[in-house]
Amino acid sequence: MYDAAVQNLIDELGRLPGVGPKSAQRIAFYILNADSSEMEKLTSAISTVKRTVSFCEVCGNVSETKLCSICRDERRDPSAICVVEESKDVVAVERTRSFSGRYHVLGGAINPLAGFGPEQLRIRELVARLSDERIQEIILAMDPNLEGEATATYLSRLLVPLGIRVSRLASGLPVGGDLEYADEITLGRALEGRRIISEGNRTVENHAAEKFEEAVEEEAKERATAAAEQATVQEPTKRWSGSMFDDLEDTETTPGPDVVAPTKLVLESETEQGNLVEQGTLNEPLLEQELEKQSAENPQSHEQTGEPKIPGDLSAEESEAEKTYSAEHREVAPSDADAKRRASYEEKLEELKKTPLRTPKPNVPPIPGATYVNPWG
């Protein structure tokens, strides 16, 4: 297709790793269109590399001298050797800054299809380096592919009988990866190479289920016993009554000889109708003391009426003032209906005045353990 010189250049470029026919063709035409000075620099760099750069006599890494810079560095740890396939892998491990030992470059991996066997690799040089007693560990850092696994398996079988610690780089999930996107082999190796965070100190028991059931039964028995004891000790709850705390657990306290039993109060209007309704209990001595006190304060009104003074009733002066006020403010004569309503209202008012004061039933429950005092008893 092209002239002999151009086609020969394309063929030679196509032999480079990772360069296909199309890429070789583009590189060839780039060389043809580039300046002669740039191409001379390229050819000079290739010639210089081939003339000056060689491999280290100890580890096999690229170097311009007999020993590479890593082998010449006395600060490196001589007890660990990291075995890699190519020199580019040394640069990759060095970028991590996590390894401070030395390296050994095999120069490839076992690949029978490509004609690479153990004899073509620098395995003999590795075994010769193990004569140094300072070496305690060999780290196999091969690629996680078929050829790398084959090489690592071969080296492990060769080095384990020598009594040296042999380790393999962990393989599994990458940093920032997701479990759902991991393949079966990668996830399986991640499980096999898992790290132990804590050994734990839990002991295995033979009858764990039976012991658990026994513990549950014991706990239930303890709760039942505690509930029974609490029921026997707990006192009955005091309840509110409908009128002035009048029903304060009469069965709990027995009245002494000095305490007067309260009597029931019944309205006269309700007696006439035949319906006896208990309104509460009164302490007669306390009521008599109150009546005598009021009679002493206003003896004239008490003697004129001849009736006992009921708490809440109006005195004579108060009744007269009320009548005067009503007469002064009565502008229009009330009608018969108004008169009847007023008479009914006054009648109910008189009944309410004769009724003893009562405390309405509260809407809140009593406080547990509190003692209430009946002001009438």
Side-chain angles (χ1 to χ4, degrees):
M1 295 180 62
Y2 299 101
D3 293 340
V6 176
Q7 188 62 41
N8 187 22
L9 179 61
I10 293 174
D11 295 339
E12 294 298 328
L13 292 174
R15 295 174 58 184
L16 298 176
V19 179
K22 295 292 184 181
S23 299
Q25 183 176 347
R26 287 195 296 270
I27 295 173
F29 279 96
Y30 172 79
I31 294 174
L32 291 175
N33 296 326
D35 295 338
S36 301
S37 59
E38 295 181 0
M39 294 300 101
E40 289 179 359
K41 293 179 182 179
L42 177 60
T43 56
S44 175
I46 295 174
S47 302
T48 303
V49 165
K50 294 300 296 180
R51 184 177 61 256
T52 59
V53 176
S54 59
F55 296 99
C56 177
E57 296 180 353
V58 176
C59 66
N61 192 14
V62 292
S63 175
E64 295 182 1
T65 58
K66 294 183 178 180
L67 296 179
C68 64
S69 58
I70 297 177
C71 293
R72 294 195 308 267
D73 191 356
E74 297 295 335
R75 296 173 297 177
R76 308 289 296 198
D77 184 12
S79 63
I81 295 179
C82 182
V83 181
V84 296
E85 296 181 6
E86 302 290 344
S87 298
K88 56 184 177 61
D89 298 333
V90 175
V91 180
V93 177
E94 281 294 302
R95 283 200 300 264
T96 64
R97 297 182 180 180
S98 300
F99 180 71
S100 60
R102 302 181 184 275
Y103 296 91
H104 186 84
V105 181
L106 295 177
I110 296 176
N111 187 3
L113 298 178
F116 277 87
E119 295 80 8
Q120 283 75 29
L121 303 179
R122 300 183 71 255
I123 297 178
R124 292 184 178 180
E125 290 80 354
L126 175 62
V127 175
R129 293 183 63 180
L130 296 181
S131 60
D132 189 353
E133 295 181 355
R134 296 178 299 174
I135 300 175
Q136 301 295 328
E137 181 181 6
I138 299 296
I139 302 174
L140 303 179
M142 286 74 188
D143 295 337
N145 50 24
L146 183 61
E147 293 79 7
E149 291 296 329
T151 306
T153 303
Y154 178 84
L155 291 177
S156 61
R157 292 180 180 179
L158 179 65
L159 300 176
V160 167
L162 300 179
I164 298 178
R165 181 181 178 183
V166 180
S167 61
R168 180 83 162 91
L169 287 183
S171 59
L173 297 175
V175 177
D178 297 331
L179 287 176
E180 58 179 334
Y181 300 117
D183 58 280
E184 293 81 359
I185 298 176
T186 302
L187 191 57
R189 290 183 177 178
L191 290 173
E192 293 175 357
R194 63 186 180 275
R195 294 184 301 173
I196 298 175
I197 299 176
S198 175
E199 294 290 346
N201 54 1
R202 184 177 180 180
T203 58
V204 180
E205 297 183 0
N206 297 330
H207 305 285
E210 296 178 359
K211 291 183 179 180
F212 177 75
E213 293 178 358
E214 292 177 359
V216 172
E217 293 178 358
E218 291 180 0
E219 185 178 358
K221 290 179 181 179
E222 292 178 358
R223 289 182 179 178
T225 305
E229 293 178 356
Q230 186 177 4
T232 55
V233 175
Q234 186 177 8
E235 297 181 356
T237 305
K238 296 181 180 180
R239 301 180 179 274
W240 293 88
S241 65
S243 175
M244 202 63 186
F245 317 102
D246 57 351
D247 199 9
L248 293 175
E249 299 295 340
D250 296 336
T251 58
E252 291 185 5
T253 58
T254 304
D258 298 335
V259 180
V260 180
T263 59
K264 304 295 181 179
L265 177 64
V266 183
L267 292 179
E268 295 178 0
S269 59
E270 294 173 347
T271 307
E272 294 175 358
Q273 297 175 2
N275 298 325
L276 298 178
V277 180
E278 294 182 359
Q279 297 297 326
T281 58
L282 293 176
N283 193 333
E284 291 182 356
L286 181 61
L287 181 59
E288 290 177 1
Q289 292 178 6
E290 184 68 22
L291 293 175
E292 291 175 359
K293 183 179 179 180
Q294 293 184 3
S295 299
E297 294 177 356
N298 193 2
Q300 182 180 359
S301 175
H302 178 67
E303 292 175 357
Q304 290 176 358
T305 57
E307 296 179 357
K309 180 67 175 178
I310 299 176
D313 197 1
L314 299 176
S315 62
E317 291 80 359
E318 293 175 348
S319 300
E320 187 66 26
E322 184 182 3
K323 292 179 181 179
T324 304
Y325 179 81
S326 300
E328 290 177 356
H329 290 76
R330 187 179 301 146
E331 298 177 357
V332 182
S335 60
D336 295 339
D338 295 338
K340 290 181 181 180
R341 285 197 299 270
R342 183 171 183 80
S344 176
Y345 172 76
E346 291 178 355
E347 182 181 359
K348 292 180 180 179
L349 182 61
E350 292 296 332
E351 292 179 0
L352 290 174
K353 290 178 181 179
K354 296 177 182 179
T355 305
L357 297 176
R358 294 182 298 173
T359 302
K361 182 180 179 180
N363 295 326
V364 296
I367 301 175
T371 303
Y372 302 99
V373 179
N374 188 353
W376 297 100

